[in-house]
Amino acid sequence: MAESTGNFSLAAMERRLAAVPDGPAAVLNTPRWVLWLNVLGSVGVIVGLTPSVLVQFIRPQMWMVYLAQAGTCTAIAGWAPFILRSLWVVLRSVRNWKSEQAAQLDYDVDHFRELTDWLVTFPKSQLVEHRRMTSLWRQQLDTKLGLLSGGFSRLGFLPVAAALFLLLMNQKSLLAIPGWLAMLGAFVVLLYLISTAGALMKIRVDLYDTLLTNAIERKGGRHD
């Protein structure tokens, strides 16, 4: 296979990855619109808890109640589709996970091979250079996420579920939620958003690194 005369870029590889059609098990992937609803729901939780903090510093007013109610409704509207869809996906996956997983892996192998065939058309020096940068990027991302959220990402959706449960349990007296508890709830929701964004970024960088490593090995020679 002849080498490409152009320069390799991660942006070009990302465009090719984005163009790969969804596979047989695409139903397991969370749609982008659901992710945006999750962000909206998380913002709703924070807004719903904010009045409980404000009443610690200023006299309670009716607009605070309206703000808390609006935040609670937004949180429910934002997270209900995700929860319902997740339950449906889990039940569906329990029944079909073997066949769907095998079909998806076969599908991914074919596209992985196509991407590798494209990568090996570039000079090895360019692939090695970009692979070193993705490794550095991943290390820095791990460090930054560790400083910001530690192992918080391992808890998944549970912190947001706890904050949402706190709102629902106190929906008749939202301003009665203790200020420290409201601040803690808002804080864990922010950490959840940061951890989720960081996890998605890390997954993508890991894919870059794996593809580049495989292409370098195909071309022969060391890549460390």
Side-chain angles (χ1 to χ4, degrees):
M1 185 177 294
E3 285 196 351
S4 172
T5 57
N7 292 322
F8 170 75
S9 70
L10 290 174
M13 183 165 70
E14 174 58 34
R15 286 194 292 270
R16 285 181 173 262
L17 286 169
V20 174
D22 291 332
V27 68
L28 302 179
N29 301 328
T30 303
R32 186 174 296 274
W33 64 270
V34 174
L35 292 176
W36 282 112
L37 280 179
N38 288 355
V39 174
L40 179 64
S42 298
V43 172
V45 172
I46 296 173
V47 171
L49 292 173
T50 298
S52 298
V53 178
L54 294 178
V55 296
Q56 309 300 316
F57 306 99
I58 58 178
R59 184 169 57 86
Q61 301 180 46
M62 200 60 199
W63 64 266
M64 295 181 181
V65 177
Y66 295 147
L67 182 65
Q69 291 174 343
T72 302
C73 292
T74 302
I76 295 172
W79 281 105
F82 171 77
I83 295 173
L84 294 175
R85 185 182 184 279
S86 296
L87 291 174
W88 173 73
V89 169
V90 168
L91 294 175
R92 185 181 184 279
S93 300
V94 168
R95 186 182 62 182
N96 303 320
W97 74 271
K98 289 183 179 179
S99 58
E100 284 188 349
Q101 185 179 52
Q104 184 66 43
L105 288 173
D106 289 338
Y107 180 85
D108 290 340
V109 166
D110 290 338
H111 286 283
F112 188 91
R113 186 185 303 114
E114 291 177 5
L115 285 165
T116 304
D117 289 342
W118 171 71
L119 286 170
V120 297
T121 64
F122 294 95
K124 187 177 70 175
S125 59
Q126 293 185 18
L127 300 180
V128 171
E129 182 180 13
H130 282 81
R131 196 260 171 182
R132 286 173 178 164
M133 290 306 301
T134 58
S135 297
L136 177 61
W137 187 9
R138 182 174 56 182
Q139 292 171 8
Q140 292 177 337
L141 189 59
D142 285 339
T143 301
K144 290 177 182 178
L145 288 176
L147 290 173
L148 288 172
S149 59
F152 192 83
S153 59
R154 296 186 179 91
L155 297 176
F157 170 66
L158 288 178
V160 178
L164 184 58
F165 180 75
L166 178 64
L167 281 176
L168 294 177
M169 288 297 294
N170 295 274
Q171 57 181 325
K172 294 184 178 180
S173 55
L174 291 170
L175 299 186
I177 299 175
W180 68 269
L181 189 57
M183 292 180 64
L184 178 62
F187 182 68
V188 297
V189 171
L190 285 174
L191 281 183
Y192 170 80
L193 292 174
I194 294 172
S195 300
T196 300
L200 293 174
M201 291 172 62
K202 188 175 184 300
I203 289 172
R204 206 58 167 183
V205 175
D206 286 341
L207 179 57
Y208 294 161
D209 187 78
T210 300
L211 286 167
L212 288 169
T213 299
N214 189 62
I216 293 169
E217 291 176 348
R218 279 267 301 271
K219 293 181 74 71
R222 293 175 60 85
H223 54 78
D224 52 336

